[in-house]
Each structure stands twice: as structure tokens, then as C-alpha cells.
């Protein structure tokens, strides 16, 4: 029996991969009922080497390149695509399953998340590992190479924090985004000699920060023996930028319990430094 010949078509209708018995068109994302990966969706259709060749050809045709022979160009080809750095940000906090990534990035489509994960996996930035729970979902984590993006991500977050105004109506915060925001604005020199635990509650999100003589540990979840329990609400950015002073915090809806002096310490340790200068 003759082997089926595959055909690849890229046009305004989308991308179509087909042969005389099968056709796959990327016109809409499909809802998946289980944890899976892009490899399950694509290569599960047919195990032939031709299919893999077609997918490689498709990647080459659609990959964004800049025509520049430099490290920045190569880096942006991997992490400069839409949503890629948000995936990196969330994985810097902890390994996550596909559904956990989707939950933390609710505006990303299923197919785009699949594509970004597969691209970064092939680039050696992320890898898959089995869940420690029996029959748990596959987890994605950063490789050692991918973890080198930690400082870069924090610097970008620190730089971008200076551009923050009031939250836009459609914007949300997540546990991972808040943890990385606290890490990005952490002022190590101000934390030297300080040993304290802070628990923050913002809506349904709970995380805690442990400061120990210039070192920071930021983790999801409550901290029962926290020295300061803080519920800043929408005033968090104002506290961290200095727009709201600790003395006026309660007038802006901030709720806290513990040593009052630690609220001022908190604003010194977690501080948005400077604003962009106007031209």
C-alpha cells in the first residue's frame, strides 16, 4: 500500500495539513478534556516521519526572525514572542501544569500556549517533568538555561513598574505576578539587618514574604507567624511608590495587623524607585 502524501497549505484561512484521508486546519482552538501537550495534539495524529518534517517546515515558515546575527536577535526569537515572558515569569515562581498556566494567563488561547511551550522546550528553555502526585498532570519547569532569565525578568519588571499608573479595567493580578513584582521591587540594602515575615492578602490571593538580613523568600500561601498581616487592596502600588505614606495608609483602605512600625519598613524594602523622566 502506497504511503500517504502530506500537503501543507498556509493561506488566509489558516494553516492546513492534509492527505487523502486526513485534514487538520488551524481555524479555531479545540477544548481539551485532559492535560496534554502540543506533541499529543499534532504528532498523535500520525506517527510518520513525514508528519514531523511537515511540522518542522511549518515552524520554519511561521517563525519570526529579525535578520540580525546577534545574541539579542536569537533571544527575542525564543522569548520575544507574545506571552513567552509571562510563561517564564510564572515558571520562575514554581513549576506548573498546562491548566495552571492557563489559569494564570486567562487571556492566552490554548493553541498559543501550546505553541509557546513547544517553542521554548525545543530551545532548551523549559522542560517537562512528572508530577510528584500519583497520576498528576505533567508539569512544565525552567531548565538551568531557562532559569538564567530570572535576573532579566526581574530587571524588566523593575523597569516597567515605573510606568504603572492606575490599573486598567481589564487588568488582573495573579499570585505569580504579585510574587515576581515583590521580588522585582525588593531593595536589598534597605533589608540589611531586617528579619521579618509579611503576609499579604489581595482579594483571594494570599502570599508571604520572609526577609532575613538582606535575603528574600517569596512564596504563595499564608504565613501563620507573620510579623505583619497586610491587606493593601488597590493601595499596594501607592504604598510601594511612595504616593501613599504609611501614616495615611488606613485612610486609603489599607488593613493591617501587627507591629505598625513594620508597615513603614515594608514600604522601604519593597519600593518602586523613580519614574520615567518626561522629554
Amino acid at each position: 500500500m502506497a504511503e500517504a502524501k502530506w500537503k501543507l497549505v498556509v493561506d488566509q484561512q489558516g494553516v492546513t495539513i492534509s492527505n487523502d484521508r486526513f485534514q487538520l486546519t488551524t481555524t479555531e482552538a479545540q477544548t481539551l478534556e485532559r492535560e496534554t501537550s502540543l506533541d499529543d495534539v499534532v504528532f498523535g495524529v500520525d506517527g510518520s516521519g513525514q508528519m514531523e518534517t511537515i511540522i518542522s517546515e511549518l515552524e520554519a515558515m511561521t517563525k519570526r526572525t529579525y535578520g540580525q546575527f546577534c545574541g539579542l536577535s536569537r533571544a527575542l526569537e525564543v522569548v520575544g514572542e507574545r506571552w513567552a515572558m509571562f510563561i517564564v515569569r510564572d515558571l520562575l515562581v514554581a513549576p506548573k501544569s498546562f491548566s495552571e498556566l492557563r489559569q494564570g494567563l486567562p487571556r492566552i488561547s490554548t493553541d498559543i500556549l501550546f505553541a509557546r511551550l513547544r517553542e521554548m522546550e525545543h530551545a532548551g528553555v523549559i522542560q517537562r517533568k512528572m508530577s510528584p502526585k500519583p497520576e498528576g498532570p505533567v508539569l512544565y519547569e525552567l531548565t538551568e538555561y531557562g532559569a538564567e532569565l530570572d535576573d532579566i525578568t526581574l530587571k524588566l519588571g523593575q523597569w516597567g513598574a515605573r510606568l504603572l499608573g492606575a490599573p486598567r479595567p481589564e487588568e488582573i493580578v495573579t499570585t505569580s505576578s504579585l510574587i515576581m513584582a515583590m521580588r522585582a521591587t525588593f531593595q536589598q540594602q534597605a533589608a540589611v539587618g531586617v528579619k521579618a515575615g509579611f503576609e499579604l492578602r489581595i482579594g483571594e490571593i494570599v502570599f508571604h514574604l520572609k526577609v532575613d538580613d538582606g535575603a528574600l523568600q517569596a512564596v504563595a500561601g499564608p504565613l501563620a507567624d507573620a510579623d505583619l498581616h497586610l491587606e493593601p487592596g488597590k493601595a499596594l502600588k501607592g504604598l510601594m511608590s511612595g504616593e501613599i505614606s504609611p501614616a495615611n495608609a488606613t485612610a486609603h483602605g489599607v488593613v493591617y495587623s501587627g507591629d505598625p512600625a513594620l508597615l513603614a519598613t515594608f514600604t522601604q524594602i519593597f519600593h518602586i524607585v523613580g519614574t520615567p523622566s518626561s522629554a
Side-chain angles (χ1 to χ4, degrees), residues 30-56:
Q30 298 182 7
T31 302
L32 302 176
E33 297 180 352
R34 63 179 181 86
E35 290 289 342
T36 186
S37 69
L38 186 62
D39 289 340
D40 294 328
V41 174
V42 175
F43 295 117
V45 173
D46 189 283
S48 71
Q50 280 190 324
M51 187 58 156
E52 187 166 357
T53 300
I54 288 173
I55 297 301
S56 297

